[in-house]
Amino acid sequence: IFLGGAVALIVTFVASNKKNQEIQTAIELGNQLADSVRVLSSSDWNTFYQLNKGSTFHYTVSSTSQIVASSTLSSGETKTVHGINYIRWFYVENVYRNGNNDIVASTTPVSFEDPSTQFVVVRITWTSNPGGMNFSEFLTRTRRNEVFIQSDWSGGPSQEYFPGDNANHRFSSST
């Protein structure tokens, strides 16, 4: 009886340890993708903002740090760790605000889209957990990606670079 109980305890412990390892690996893979998404949104907000929105549009990040659209609803990037296939992808949603600048549902009356904020969900599934897990966060456009607005072009051509905070009235070329 004692030996049978010990074997059952060991089997339960090993199964629990294996499941914990799978979850930990999924968390690490999800965090890696979330980090890549943060970097890409920070480096090129315009491209990031123009992605198709909603959970039906799956995206991954390539090894060359490019956003890649997945071809089917069940697809994403497959990573194999210790013989287990993990599939990960992300999707993006627009963010809406009310008159108090609070984040609200898009169906809220008198709400407006905030083009400087996006809601991102990183999703990861694996063989023994097809339900998977989600990581979500709000990403915002950083100051570095602000839009440059110039309305006075009277200084003429020969502007070779954008001067940052020292906007002037010149432009790059007249064509």
Side-chain angles (χ1 to χ4, degrees):
I1 293 177
F2 178 72
L3 183 60
V7 169
L9 184 62
I10 290 171
V11 167
T12 302
F13 175 76
V14 169
S16 175
N17 190 37
K18 182 179 184 298
K19 185 172 184 165
N20 286 339
Q21 262 186 330
E22 290 177 7
I23 291 170
Q24 185 61 39
T25 300
I27 290 170
E28 290 172 13
L29 291 171
N31 283 333
Q32 286 173 2
L33 181 55
D35 288 344
S36 295
V37 170
R38 272 187 232 102
V39 167
L40 287 171
S41 70
S42 176
S43 67
D44 187 359
W45 181 263
N46 190 44
T47 298
F48 182 74
Y49 177 74
Q50 291 180 11
L51 293 174
N52 290 321
K53 305 299 190 279
S55 61
T56 59
F57 296 99
H58 296 184
Y59 298 98
T60 60
V61 178
S62 72
S63 60
T64 60
S65 297
Q66 299 294 316
I67 295 174
V68 178
S70 297
S71 58
T72 66
L73 280 179
S74 62
S75 68
E77 176 187 30
T78 301
K79 293 281 191 175
T80 303
V81 179
H82 302 299
I84 298 169
N85 290 331
Y86 295 85
I87 302 172
R88 64 184 184 174
W89 68 91
F90 73 94
Y91 65 89
V92 183
E93 298 279 359
N94 285 327
V95 172
Y96 293 83
R97 296 189 183 269
N98 63 16
N100 295 326
N101 210 26
D102 299 321
I103 293 175
V104 296
S106 63
T107 56
T108 302
V110 193
S111 64
F112 60 92
E113 183 184 334
D114 177 359
S116 293
T117 307
Q118 295 285 275
F119 182 67
V120 176
V121 176
V122 172
R123 181 116 175 92
I124 186 162
T125 63
W126 60 100
T127 310
S128 66
N129 189 356
M133 60 175 51
N134 293 343
F135 304 78
S136 61
E137 67 182 291
F138 291 94
L139 297 179
T140 58
R141 176 170 47 188
T142 62
R143 177 165 164 60
R144 197 179 105 215
N145 288 320
E146 285 183 350
V147 175
F148 178 77
I149 298 174
Q150 181 171 348
S151 58
D152 178 3
W153 308 90
S154 64
S158 301
Q159 182 70 45
E160 296 302 321
Y161 63 93
F162 289 106
D165 289 339
N166 302 319
N168 59 39
H169 57 274
R170 299 182 70 86
F171 55 90
S172 180
S173 84
S174 59
T175 59

